[in-house]
């Protein structure tokens, strides 16, 4: 299965059912969070909220399963087993596995399409093996949990940019996803009012090859969508370049003073895919 949700994926606490529909309407896909966004005493109520919005007999779910992701608790925990028991009674089959750390964790989810969230040192180190699992459709990384797993205190420098170890993890997960032919999801931007910083990071994510970016607030969605949407000029330039390649009929040719070969043509194709 190819993961096609995005580019703006919006987290929503699963114990706040009054927000489910609003989150789904404002983003390209909603991530109902059963893990960190829900306090331990409220997790069972959150599962009940997911079940309650399914409607009566013969009625469809409130949320479109093709645009809904459920973030479940880490494999091997009691809450993980309870999450799976809940989801067995729903049509939702795309899950985000929190703190994925090994290929064996993915094998506990044979009936699901999984976004593997690598947010610990073990998860990042084992990202290639995780990405290779057949039920993994996408890879995501998480900065704050990663630094916590290392005993650190912050993923970012004073200027707002990521620390070197976070950048290494980001690149490692992106490369693991690409090597396995899977999609990659960029981490959340936690400084909600800083939309300029978010926009710059989202543009970098799109240019680097991340297929989508996760959001923690509805106000972030527009900035992410704008970062992933090619401008009219970009679309025209990519279209003209591909037309010139067709006319040239050779592997390498000159266009507007530049040498054009396969990688540059694939960049142009990527622009048109994002436009679609």
């Amino acid at each position: 299965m190819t993961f096609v949700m995005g580019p703006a994926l919006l987290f929503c606490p699963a114990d706040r059912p009054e927000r489910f529909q609003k989150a789904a309407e404002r983003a390209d896909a909603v991530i109902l969070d059963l893990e960190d966004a829900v306090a331990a005493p409220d997790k069972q109520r959150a599962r009940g909220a997911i079940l309650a919005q399914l409607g009566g007999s013969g009625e469809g779910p409130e949320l479109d399963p093709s645009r809904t992701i459920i973030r479940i608790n880490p494999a091997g925990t009691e809450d993980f087993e309870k999450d799976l028991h809940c989801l067995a009674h729903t049509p939702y089959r795309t899950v985000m596995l929190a703190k994925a750390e090994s290929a064996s964790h993915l094998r506990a989810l044979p009936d699901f399409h999984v976004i593997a969230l690598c947010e610990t040192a073990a998860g990042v180190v084992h990202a290639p093996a995780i990405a290779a699992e057949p039920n993994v459709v996408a890879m995501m990384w998480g900065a704050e949990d990663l630094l916590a797993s290392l005993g650190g205190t912050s993923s970012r420098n004073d200027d707002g940019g990521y620390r070197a170890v976070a950048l290494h993890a980001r690149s490692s997960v992106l490369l693991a996803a690409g090597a396995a032919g899977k999609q990659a999801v960029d981490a959340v931007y936690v400084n909600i009012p800083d939309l300029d910083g978010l926009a710059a990071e989202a543009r970098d994510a799109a240019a680097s090859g991340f297929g989508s970016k996760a959001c923690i607030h509805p106000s972030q969605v527009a900035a992410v969508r704008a970062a992933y949407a090619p401008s009219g000029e970009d679309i025209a330039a990519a279209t003209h370049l591909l037309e010139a390649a067709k006319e040239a009929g050779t592997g390498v040719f000159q266009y507007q003073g530049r040498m054009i070969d396969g990688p540059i043509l694939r960049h142009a194709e990527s622009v048109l895919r994002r436009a679609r």
Side-chain angles (χ1 to χ4, degrees), residues 37-271:
V38 181
D42 298 326
K43 289 188 185 288
Q44 193 57 37
R45 182 165 60 85
R47 296 182 193 100
I50 291 176
L51 292 171
Q53 57 85 47
L54 294 177
S57 178
E59 297 180 14
E62 176 183 330
L63 299 177
D64 180 356
S66 70
R67 297 180 54 244
T68 303
I69 301 160
I70 312 295
R71 178 159 77 164
I72 59 177
N73 287 277
T77 65
E78 183 178 347
D79 282 312
F80 173 82
E81 299 299 334
K82 290 180 178 179
D83 292 346
L84 294 191
H85 180 74
C86 166
L87 293 179
H89 301 281
T90 77
Y92 303 125
R93 288 298 174 267
T94 301
V95 299
M96 177 180 290
L97 177 61
K99 298 175 179 64
E101 292 190 332
S102 71
S104 63
H105 288 177
L106 281 303
R107 293 168 194 156
L109 294 163
D111 300 324
F112 293 91
H113 306 298
V114 185
I115 302 169
L117 177 48
C118 298
E119 51 185 342
T120 66
V124 172
V125 169
H126 297 140
I130 292 170
E133 287 298 302
N135 59 335
V136 171
V137 294
M139 299 283 285
M140 182 174 164
W141 77 289
E144 301 312 320
D145 277 295
L146 171 64
L147 267 293
S149 79
L150 295 170
T153 58
S154 172
S155 67
R156 295 185 184 265
N157 297 306
D158 292 341
D159 64 1
Y162 279 123
R163 297 186 188 280
V165 66
L167 288 174
H168 174 79
R170 185 179 191 238
S171 297
S172 295
V173 172
L174 174 62
L175 289 168
K182 310 293 175 69
Q183 189 66 266
V185 180
D186 198 23
V188 298
Y189 192 83
V190 298
N191 189 350
I192 296 172
D194 182 17
L195 293 180
D196 289 340
L198 167 64
E201 189 167 286
R203 287 193 297 270
D204 178 77
S208 298
F210 284 95
S212 53
K213 186 169 181 63
C215 305
I216 56 173
H217 192 274
S219 66
Q220 297 181 320
V221 169
V224 171
R225 283 176 169 165
Y228 274 83
S231 67
E233 292 177 354
D234 291 338
I235 294 169
T239 300
H240 294 155
L241 175 58
L242 292 173
E243 288 174 350
K246 196 175 295 185
E247 291 177 8
T250 60
V252 178
F253 64 101
Q254 190 178 71
Y255 176 75
Q256 296 183 347
R258 297 173 63 203
M259 186 201 78
I260 304 298
D261 59 4
I264 295 175
L265 294 178
R266 289 192 287 275
H267 293 170
E269 291 167 352
S270 178
V271 167

